[in-house]
Amino acid sequence: MPKIVLEGLVKRYGSFEVLHGIDLEMEEDEFTVFVGPSGCGKSTTLRMIAGLESVTEGEIYIDGKPVSQLEPKARDLAMVFQDYALYPHMNVAKNMSFALRLQRMPKAEIDAKISAVAETLGLTDFLHRKPGELSGGQRQRVAMGRALTRDSSTFLFDEPLSNLDAKLRGQMRAELALMSQRVKKNMIYVTHDQIEAMTLADRIVVMNGGYIQQQGSPEELFKNPANKFVAGFLGMPPMNFLDGEITEKSGEIFVQGQGFSVKLSHQKAEAARAHSGRSVTLGVRPSDLVYDPAAAEDQSLLVSIIVSEYIGAQTVLLCDCGGQKVEVELKSTIPIDRNGQLRFAINPEGVHLFDKKTEIAL
Amino acid sequence: MNIANKANRLTPYVFMAPAAIILAVALLYPIGYMIYASFLDWSPSQRIGEADFVGLRNYVNLMHDAAFRESFWVTVKFAAVVVTLEMFIGVGLALLLDRNIKGMSFLRTIFILPMMIAPIVVGLMWRYMYHPTVGIFNRTLKDWGFEGIPWLSDSTWAFVAVVMADVWQWTPFIFILSLAAMQSLPRSALEAAEIDGASDMQKVIHIKLPLMLPVLIVTLMLRLIDAFKVLEVIMVLTNGGPGLSTEIVAMRIFRTAQEFQELGEAAAMSNTLLMVLMALTIGMFAYNKMQEGRAAKMQAMAAKGTA
């Protein structure tokens, strides 16, 4: 299956620029997820790849061929839309076979294909229903089926799960993951939901404000976020950020702020030593904070609870640390003094430092 | 308590009373009057009470009245021709103009202008244009070296002439309704069709037209009902002539009452026309009901599917 390359992709509506030069290479048969808040340009990028939006500047290469001037149908793509975009006047079978019928494929072949796809998606009983007679989840499946019957080299998904309720979304997400393992194709998927991005992607592309913030495997991005935006966007509950300053005391490197002073591990200290005296943001995920009353003072945060959210096995605590907010997680069975101060040990590997002004990781 | 209750129950009827009174005075009374009149042998010199009651004689006469049958046929022919032409041109224009080009809103306004002109004025305008010597059509034809066309004096051409005037005036009605329908089509379904490989023409045939069909059918019915009642333009242009070639039913009714002074027979004709239009209207409502029923059934099924 072809390799897709974006080169200096720019999109302007009049004088308003929404994409500022997107460069990206997607490997063959890769599941790429564009993720970012609404208005970040992820859908626009997808629609430009699809050919539904014109390219202002730059070029899209599919298999080395520039395609930005080609019609969507010449690009060998299938797409699943956010609102499913089913043809309301056609039944499920007709919806799924529309492209094939336009290609004048023999009827027997179409029927065989439709029944095979319907089988895998559990739509066999609904082939003669119209979209209006289906539930949201079923419509979603039809939209998926319509893309699958095409046998295109590339599948585009534009927030396909965002119109489903939470339970169904989880279920469909799992099915999608299964499908992507079975069908080895290029998949490009747009979502604002970081959980979808983390669970489905081979490669995540985090976008914000019309720029790519960072791209890489979910693990890479989670472990080594390039900047504060990526760090805060991926992970649930989100990373905590505390303002502080890098200081050096008797050869050791500390991050010091209101109510905390954290000694950096050797590895981190090496990187931070050059920035001594600089204002930084200390980032640490709730999962890297462990309740430990006996932790060393320079390896922990001392916090007091503001709000406690019981969610079953876990309790999420919104706490105050020297005037700054910190979220921590705790097993609900651990007894704690709700009115006193709690000490949480910091996993030294989980410390992230960002320049305060540029927000870029040090 | 009891009185208050009673007053409460009466309130809605009080609010409805003005509308009901207007309806009764302005609609039901004249229709009743007309139905009654259609059973009378009544000339304008008599008061209605002095006219002789003749039962269904007026209707029986109509059956045997070749002139009425001819005018009925002309009306059907006229309605069928103009509505067909208007549907094709109107929907075609809408398909062409459903896009974002500069000045499109201005163009759209221009296109719907004819609809806003009073029919009498339209008739007069076209009569001047059809004038055998100074009209723009024949002058142009002569400039190009062709013979002039007897627009309003030849029975075939006269029919063509009234059809052209009507098409000119009422195509915009269909244009504007189908444009509105087209612009409310789901954009993403059209985009999906594009991805599925449909050409512009295939999008029109497989997606746009089928999705517009409910609106188009209602538009067609409305235009058909209207075309059956056409009067002013034809009256000004040809006055029904030459011969009976453009004498539509409304024209015939007018002449029966005015020239032949047969009020009872004119009333019977009106009732006949009314019944035809009623059938069309009921057909339209039945179609709407059917659509609603189908939509309701669909939703019920979808709800069941979710559960």
Side-chain angles (χ1 to χ4, degrees):
Chain A
M1 295 297 133
K3 191 169 149 174
I4 298 176
V5 177
L6 311 182
E7 196 180 271
L9 217 52
V10 172
K11 178 69 189 178
R12 272 189 290 266
Y13 293 105
S15 60
F16 184 64
E17 192 167 294
V18 292
L19 282 182
H20 319 281
I22 299 294
D23 290 299
L24 187 66
E25 282 191 28
M26 291 167 256
E27 294 301 325
E28 288 176 27
D29 296 345
E30 204 174 42
F31 200 122
T32 308
V33 176
F34 289 93
V35 67
S38 48
C40 71
K42 55 190 191 298
S43 274
T44 310
T45 310
L46 187 81
R47 291 171 58 83
M48 282 162 92
I49 297 172
L52 297 171
E53 295 279 350
S54 63
V55 174
T56 315
E57 269 172 42
E59 189 53 76
I60 300 164
Y61 297 93
I62 298 181
D63 239 0
K65 276 187 303 220
V67 298
S68 69
Q69 300 305 317
L70 295 182
E71 297 267 307
K73 63 177 164 185
R75 301 188 187 193
D76 191 23
L77 311 155
M79 184 160 170
V80 178
F81 291 80
Q82 180 172 5
D83 60 355
Y84 318 137
L86 300 177
Y87 311 123
H89 57 295
M90 298 182 195
N91 65 25
V92 170
K94 289 260 160 63
N95 257 287
M96 297 207 291
S97 63
F98 185 60
L100 306 182
R101 282 183 287 134
L102 289 180
Q103 291 165 14
R104 301 190 182 284
M105 187 183 269
K107 194 171 177 308
E109 219 171 303
I110 293 181
D111 289 346
K113 208 154 206 171
I114 297 297
S115 58
V117 172
E119 183 80 32
T120 57
L121 290 172
L123 286 171
T124 311
D125 295 339
F126 305 107
L127 284 176
H128 296 288
R129 290 218 195 157
K130 293 211 171 142
E133 301 163 352
L134 299 173
S135 68
Q138 291 164 343
R139 281 181 222 182
Q140 170 62 53
R141 268 170 229 266
V142 178
M144 217 81 98
R146 185 172 61 181
L148 279 175
T149 50
R150 291 279 307 282
D151 259 342
S152 301
S153 61
T154 304
F155 287 88
L156 308 178
F157 299 88
D158 189 3
E159 308 217 17
L161 305 185
S162 60
N163 282 0
L164 300 177
D165 61 51
K167 196 176 156 199
L168 207 51
R169 199 180 310 155
Q171 202 181 320
M172 289 305 289
R173 197 171 61 216
E175 281 183 33
L176 252 173
L178 202 69
M179 188 188 94
S180 76
Q181 282 168 14
R182 227 178 20 219
V183 191
K184 272 292 160 204
K185 302 262 166 115
N186 291 357
M187 312 243 175
I188 307 178
Y189 188 104
V190 162
T191 181
H192 60 263
D193 179 0
Q194 54 97 17
I195 294 180
E196 274 172 38
M198 296 294 274
T199 51
L200 291 172
D202 295 321
R203 177 198 300 274
I204 294 185
V205 180
V206 181
M207 293 185 71
N208 190 32
Y211 291 99
I212 291 183
Q213 299 291 326
Q214 192 178 4
Q215 51 146 318
S217 72
E219 208 179 345
E220 257 169 64
L221 265 59
F222 189 75
K223 285 198 171 146
N224 300 309
N227 55 41
K228 195 177 153 194
F229 178 82
V230 175
F233 195 80
L234 300 178
M236 197 69 213
M239 188 184 276
N240 295 302
F241 295 111
L242 295 162
D243 287 339
E245 193 179 308
I246 296 181
T247 54
E248 192 169 348
K249 263 185 259 167
S250 53
E252 303 274 22
I253 304 293
F254 288 82
V255 179
Q256 205 164 1
Q258 280 291 329
F260 68 93
S261 175
V262 177
K263 190 168 79 180
L264 295 182
S265 67
H266 274 302
Q267 209 186 343
K268 304 266 174 192
E270 285 316 306
R273 194 177 295 275
H275 304 285
S276 185
R278 189 187 280 204
S279 290
V280 293
T281 304
L282 168 72
V284 56
R285 296 190 189 279
S287 53
D288 288 323
L289 291 167
V290 183
Y291 177 60
D292 181 2
E297 209 168 303
D298 61 1
Q299 292 291 307
S300 62
L301 296 178
L302 193 62
V303 300
S304 50
I305 300 175
I306 303 172
V307 179
S308 153
E309 290 175 319
Y310 175 80
I311 47 173
Q314 296 274 322
T315 300
V316 176
L317 303 174
L318 179 64
C319 304
D320 174 275
C321 174
Q324 306 189 68
K325 299 231 161 35
V326 173
E327 254 187 344
V328 294
E329 284 176 312
L330 197 64
K331 266 213 174 111
S332 298
T333 47
I334 296 176
I336 47 165
D337 172 14
R338 287 178 187 280
N339 298 316
Q341 289 197 306
L342 307 174
R343 190 167 284 285
F344 280 83
I346 299 176
N347 169 13
E349 298 308 311
V351 170
H352 302 270
L353 293 176
F354 305 99
D355 185 282
K356 184 132 192 284
K357 266 209 204 97
T358 63
E359 302 193 340
I360 293 172
L362 294 181
Chain B
M1 183 69 181
N2 214 356
I3 293 170
N5 243 346
K6 213 173 244 174
N8 255 346
R9 233 179 308 145
L10 284 176
T11 315
Y13 298 101
V14 176
F15 282 127
M16 276 167 61
I21 290 167
I22 289 173
L23 200 70
V25 172
L27 200 69
L28 295 182
Y29 175 71
I31 287 181
Y33 199 89
M34 186 174 75
I35 291 172
Y36 178 58
S38 71
F39 299 124
L40 302 176
D41 180 12
W42 182 25
S43 82
S45 57
Q46 296 168 302
R47 281 192 309 182
I48 192 161
E50 300 164 357
D52 293 329
F53 188 84
V54 294
L56 288 171
R57 203 185 71 198
N58 286 329
Y59 290 95
V60 175
N61 282 351
L62 279 189
M63 299 290 163
H64 303 293
D65 181 355
F68 177 75
R69 274 195 312 216
E70 174 67 21
S71 74
F72 201 85
W73 167 235
V74 169
T75 308
V76 171
K77 198 168 68 170
F78 175 81
V81 171
V82 295
V83 173
T84 308
L85 283 175
E86 286 162 13
M87 285 303 286
F88 273 104
I89 302 173
V91 175
L93 274 178
L95 285 168
L96 285 177
L97 291 186
D98 177 31
R99 62 191 67 192
N100 291 321
I101 319 177
K102 259 188 197 155
M104 191 49 78
S105 56
F106 176 71
L107 271 180
R108 283 181 198 147
T109 316
I110 296 255
F111 272 113
I112 61 169
L113 268 181
M115 218 171 71
M116 304 179 197
I117 302 174
I120 290 281
V121 179
V122 171
L124 285 171
M125 222 169 69
W126 281 86
R127 198 166 78 180
Y128 290 126
M129 293 200 287
Y130 285 138
H131 192 279
T133 51
V134 298
I136 184 153
F137 291 126
N138 276 1
R139 259 194 352 224
T140 312
L141 283 175
K142 271 174 197 153
D143 284 349
W144 290 347
F146 294 106
E147 284 278 303
I149 288 173
W151 288 109
L152 300 176
S153 49
D154 174 89
S155 58
T156 311
W157 281 113
F159 187 77
V160 173
V162 292
V163 165
M164 270 165 61
D166 193 86
V167 168
W168 179 83
Q169 186 174 22
W170 290 111
T171 298
F173 175 77
I174 287 161
F175 164 69
I176 201 167
L177 287 185
S178 36
L179 190 65
M182 215 172 289
Q183 284 175 343
S184 61
L185 292 184
R187 285 282 138 194
S188 59
L190 289 168
E191 287 180 343
E194 217 169 299
I195 299 261
D196 272 345
S199 65
D200 285 348
M201 202 58 202
Q202 284 170 325
K203 271 196 283 182
V204 169
I205 291 168
H206 295 295
I207 312 288
K208 287 187 183 178
L209 287 181
L211 289 182
M212 284 164 65
L213 200 61
V215 175
L216 291 184
I217 286 178
V218 172
T219 310
L220 181 113
M221 290 292 204
L222 285 174
R223 255 323 280 148
L224 210 54
I225 290 168
D226 234 29
F228 267 92
K229 298 189 301 186
V230 68
L231 174 67
E232 297 100 319
V233 174
I234 293 184
M235 193 156 91
V236 174
L237 272 179
T238 64
N239 203 21
L244 295 181
S245 61
T246 60
E247 188 169 287
I248 34 70
V249 172
M251 193 75 227
R252 182 85 204 159
I253 295 168
F254 179 77
R255 287 181 65 197
T256 308
Q258 285 291 312
E259 279 175 40
F260 314 141
Q261 312 240 317
E262 299 270 11
L263 295 187
E265 196 147 341
M269 287 177 182
S270 291
N271 280 338
T272 311
L273 181 61
L274 185 68
M275 281 187 280
V276 171
L277 294 183
M278 197 87 95
L280 280 177
T281 312
I282 289 170
M284 189 173 86
F285 282 139
Y287 174 77
N288 270 344
K289 260 261 144 46
M290 210 174 70
Q291 288 283 326
E292 278 165 25
R294 192 184 293 167
K297 201 183 83 189
M298 273 187 175
Q299 265 160 11
M301 278 178 96
K304 220 189 282 169
T306 332

